[in-house]
Structures are given as C-alpha cells and as structure tokens.
Amino acid sequence: MKTAAAEVLVEIEGKIGVVTINRPQALNALSIAVMDAVSEALGGFDRDPSIHAMVLAGLPKAFAAGADIGEMKGIAGGAAAEKQLARHLSNWDRIGNLKKPLVAAVSGFALGGGCELAMACDMIVASETAVFGQPEVLIGVIPGAGGTQRLTKVVGKALSMEMNLTGRKLTAREALSYGLVNKVVPVESFLSEAKKLAHTIAAQPPLAVQAAKASVLAAVDSKLSEGLSFERQSFFRLFDTQDQKEGMTAFSEKRKPVWTGK
Ligand code: CAA
C-alpha cells in the first residue's frame, strides 16, 4: 500500500510494521511530505496493539541522503527559518519518542537528516554499502535533527567533531566498529535481516520490551543515578503484569511461555 505521500510504503508482516521510504529519484531525500508520512505511519503502528515492533527501511542505494535541500534552500533567515523548519524537524523527535522498538534497515547513503533518522531508531542493520555522515557543514549549516547530539553520545566527542566539522563519512564497517550499527550484512539481505531482528523482538512479551526500550533510552538521556532509578521503577511495575507471572512460571515448569501482552 502507498500512503498519501506516494513515496512511503507501509506494510504489516505478522506482528511487525514496515515503513519504506521510496523516493529513488532524489536518493530518498526527506521532504516535508515524506517525513510527515513516515512519522504518521510509524505513529499508527505505535498505537496499533497488534504491532509489537517496527522496521524503517530505505532503498538499496539510499536510506536517505538528508533533508530535502531543494525545499530548504529558499528559506529566509531569522524567524522564518524556525517557523518553516520546526514542524518538519519535530518528526525526527516524534520518531525518537515512539514506545515500540524500531529497527532501521540502512543501505547506501544515510547522510544528514538520513543519518539522524537512522540514529533516532533503536537499532540499525546496515548493508555493506551503507555510508553514514553529517555533511551539513559542506552546505553551510549544521545538523538540525540530532546529528551533533545522538552521534556524539554513540561515537564520542573526537569522531563526532571530525564528522560534523569536516563532513567525514563512515563506511558500514567503521560504523560497526564505533557501535553506531548492530550488524553489517550483504546488500541483498539488509531488509530481511532487519525484519528478522524485529520479528525476534516482536516474539517477546511486549510490555517488558517497551519497558526495556524506555529504560535504555533513559540511560542515554540521563545521569547514571537517574537512569538506575528509572530502570528500578520499571522493573517493579512489570510485576503487575500477567506476562511476568507467565514468564517465570513457564521457566520453572520448563516450557515455552505464552505471552498475552497483559
Ligand atoms: N536533497 C534533495 N535532493 C537530493 C539530496 C538532498 N539531500 N541528495 C541528493 N539529491 C538529489 C540530487 O539533487 C540529484 O537529483 P537530480 O538527478 O535531479 O540532479 C539526485 O538526488 C542524485 O544525486 P547526485 O547526482 O548528487 O548523486 P551522487 O551519487 O553523485 O551523490 C550524494 C550522492 C553524495 C549523496 C550527494 O547527492 C549529496 O551530497 N547529497 C546531499 C547530502 C547532504 O548534504 N545531506 C544533508 C542535507 S541537510 C540536512 O539533512 C539537515 C538536517 O539536519 C535535517
């Protein structure tokens, strides 16, 4: 099925929802229409109780080569920049705040807003041809959707400085060595591997999965003491769920648990 943007494909495969950016003529540049559609589709899956995990994919040649430069180049300075771009950029925030796990399937270019979009996901499966970078400085700006923040938290200050200040790009193997991606796979299988990871997550008890995601994000976002406290409270709350009873009972009874999501 194609969404209103006609450049964003949406499908359901069992318990996973898959959103694919499909704008090959512009290397999947993230126009306002594309980002609105991506955010709307993922938000819909996040609210759908039958969906337990999601995949956000690009095409083999490009996950996304950034925000749409054609759309941005005529924007005036001052208040106009904020007025015209704030809503667009809020889509990256919305995606970073989804409750359910989101796996990025990245092949080819993941640059600028494309790299930021991949980093707003929870895990990244990269093809051997994937290229990550924040080249905004080369067109006279800086990242506006998290590229100086999320990248620094993952790869550290020195490399993030180099990437943000010179436009240096990382190969998939380099990205793996710096912990930016979970795995590197042949280009033919980047989507199937991302789906496989999402299906594995979707088979776990959903409330525990969502609590784990929120807790890991709290670690990224807070001081260790605050993150530990957040984790502890989430851990306690899971003892209110049927899945906790079922999981621990099944372990004692040496059988596979049957999850109900309650
Ligand atoms: N926006 C709009 N169109 C883009 C685009 C972008 N970000 N990236 C590529 N395209 C278009 C090109 O204009 C070209 O269109 P035409 O055929 O109509 O001319 C088409 O995609 C193919 O691109 P190239 O001919 O440039 O392909 P290439 O293989 O020679 O180079 C590339 C590929 C290195 C990715 C190069 O296209 C490039 O540098 N793109 C821009 C990358 C970039 O600067 N991204 C950051 C954008 S700003 C941003 O994202 C801000 C933010 O933080 C949110």
Side-chain angles (χ1 to χ4, degrees):
M1 173 186 122
K2 280 199 173 191
T3 71
E7 290 166 331
V8 175
L9 312 176
V10 179
E11 58 174 320
I12 291 175
E13 202 182 277
K15 289 181 184 168
I16 72 165
V18 183
V19 175
T20 304
I21 305 166
N22 181 34
R23 199 186 174 209
Q25 71 282 9
L27 295 179
N28 274 359
L30 301 167
S31 64
I32 292 169
V34 163
M35 277 308 289
D36 282 352
V38 167
S39 168
E40 194 186 313
L42 291 173
F45 284 146
D46 209 41
R47 290 187 295 274
D48 180 344
S50 71
I51 299 296
H52 291 199
M54 303 173 279
V55 172
L56 175 58
L59 300 173
K61 202 168 167 203
F63 177 71
D68 192 311
I69 299 170
E71 276 183 353
M72 287 186 296
K73 71 171 186 260
I75 294 177
E82 185 172 344
K83 186 161 179 254
Q84 292 181 50
L85 289 170
R87 200 194 66 79
H88 186 33
L89 295 176
S90 71
N91 279 318
W92 278 259
D93 301 337
R94 208 164 297 137
I95 290 163
N97 288 327
L98 293 167
K99 291 195 177 55
K100 293 177 186 168
L102 174 59
V103 180
V106 176
S107 183
F109 299 111
L111 300 178
C115 188
E116 292 168 303
L117 185 56
M119 292 190 294
C121 300
D122 301 311
M123 284 153 279
I124 302 177
V125 173
S127 90
E128 280 159 351
T129 66
V131 178
F132 298 86
Q134 299 294 159
E136 286 89 340
V137 70
L138 305 177
I139 55 167
V141 289
I142 68 165
T148 62
Q149 303 302 302
R150 286 197 174 95
L151 185 66
T152 308
K153 284 182 190 282
V154 178
V155 306
K157 175 183 156 190
L159 182 58
S160 176
M161 281 284 185
E162 191 180 341
M163 292 174 71
N164 275 293
L165 275 54
T166 70
R168 175 179 163 191
K169 300 177 181 65
L170 298 183
T171 64
R173 295 271 162 212
E174 286 175 318
L176 183 66
S177 74
Y178 293 117
L180 186 61
V181 308
N182 292 70
K183 58 159 86 173
V184 179
V185 299
V187 68
E188 300 74 30
S189 56
F190 79 98
L191 182 55
S192 59
E193 286 287 338
K195 286 180 177 175
K196 197 165 131 194
L197 179 55
H199 279 301
T200 302
I201 296 164
Q204 314 309 321
L207 296 177
V209 163
Q210 286 174 40
K213 167 172 171 164
S215 202
V216 173
L217 289 179
V220 176
D221 217 21
S222 56
K223 292 197 305 189
L224 180 61
S225 56
E226 290 167 3
L228 286 172
S229 163
F230 184 91
E231 177 194 80
R232 196 78 29 99
Q233 292 309 315
S234 301
F235 180 68
F236 294 151
R237 274 199 302 277
L238 286 166
F239 283 77
D240 294 336
T241 68
Q242 288 176 19
D243 280 346
Q244 175 269 329
K245 309 277 176 284
E246 168 64 8
M248 295 190 182
T249 306
F251 176 81
S252 304
E253 294 174 355
K254 300 190 188 304
R255 62 173 173 81
K256 276 188 108 181
V258 181
W259 306 123
T260 58
K262 292 186 182 135

